[in-house]
Amino acid sequence: MPYEFYKVLHLLAILVLFTAMGGLAMVTLRGGSEQEMKAARKPLMILHGVALLVIFVAGFGLMAKLGMMKSGWPTWIFGKLAVWLVLGGAMALLKRPMGVAWYLLLPLVGAVGAWLAVYKPF
Ligand code: HEM
């Protein structure tokens, strides 16, 4: 697969990830019985999990296309892995009413991921 394919896939999965996080924040804010909340959360948790996996696989596809598997990993890749982990854990936060306030900060975490890929600061 070409570099461009992995890039579009990487970006598509990031969009889906944020859609799932927004959905969960809305479910938490709406409230309801435990059974209703569970049913509403399930598809969003699945969407979030699949998006995380695709971001990871496409990210490594991009690295392979850029020759990083042979030349070694630049330091900014570790920063991206940290961003990926934080966004992976964000759903646990968004399940709690107090955690929803963090929802507004999550795009900034995503922006750090974009900044690392664009500026490659280290
Ligand atoms: C497993 C974690 C990740 C890996 C290994 C990874 C790796 C990469 C690589 C190798 C590139 C290509 C850089 C280039 O073309 O020079 C890239 C691009 C990009 N990544 Fe990731 N990434 C990861 C997670 C993320 C996350 C969590 C975000 C933000 C939410 C993100 C946002 C972006 C963006 C916006 C680009 C495009 C930058 C551009 O077009 O120049 N990445 N990523």
Side-chain angles (χ1 to χ4, degrees), residues 29-102:
L29 284 177
R30 185 195 59 174
S33 72
E34 192 50 39
Q35 203 181 6
E36 279 170 345
M37 301 273 274
K38 257 191 181 165
R41 275 182 201 139
K42 198 174 173 191
L44 297 168
M45 297 306 271
I46 294 171
L47 209 59
H48 186 261
V50 171
L52 266 185
L53 186 69
V54 175
I55 291 171
F56 190 87
V57 171
F60 276 84
L62 284 168
M63 285 172 69
K65 290 290 163 187
L66 292 167
M68 290 175 190
M69 292 308 184
K70 287 182 190 136
S71 65
W73 295 19
T75 311
W76 60 269
I77 286 289
F78 295 96
K80 254 162 161 309
L81 284 170
V83 168
W84 183 80
L85 282 175
V86 172
L87 294 176
M91 291 302 255
L93 205 67
L94 296 173
K95 271 184 187 173
R96 299 153 183 263
M98 288 302 287
V100 171
W102 289 96

